[in-house]
Amino acid sequence: MDKVFIRGLKVDAVIGVYDWEKQVRQPLIFDLEMAWDIRLAAATDDLMHALNYQAITEFIERFVREQHFQLLESLLERLAEALRKEFGMPWLGIQVEKPAVVPQARAVGLYIERGDQPAGDKR
């Protein structure tokens, strides 16, 4: 299985448990790896058979804008579920960073994997 990836996707979100966080938009930075067999897209040179990263990017932006979560855990779990359902990918690895939230760190965040991991690819 091949992987399509998106790195450094910045989306502003209303997220957090503190009152001040619920009043402002904060940047979230997403990195995704998505399992997809690219052979048909490569053979036909047709976007219809590819995992369209522009459509995925727009889906993530819309999802994050329209949803309001307190925890990154909730956001990431729901987003992973929605992406797999919408695009039919068998496996997804997704990381989200929330920069400048803890003064001692550049960013905090999470990484999750959902679905059946491609054979021979153990992180």
Side-chain angles (χ1 to χ4, degrees), residues 28-76:
L28 299 179
I29 301 169
F30 293 90
D31 290 331
L32 296 92
E33 289 186 344
M34 301 155 285
W36 195 257
D37 187 340
I38 69 161
R39 290 176 288 191
L40 184 55
T44 62
D45 201 27
D46 188 342
L47 180 60
M48 183 175 133
H49 302 295
L51 192 54
N52 185 332
Y53 45 81
Q54 183 62 41
I56 292 167
T57 296
E58 291 169 2
F59 184 90
I60 294 169
E61 290 171 333
R62 188 171 49 256
F63 184 91
V64 171
R65 271 195 319 267
E66 293 173 358
Q67 306 291 322
H68 299 284
F69 297 101
Q70 292 190 82
L71 300 177
L72 286 176
E73 289 85 345
S74 299
L75 168 64
L76 210 52

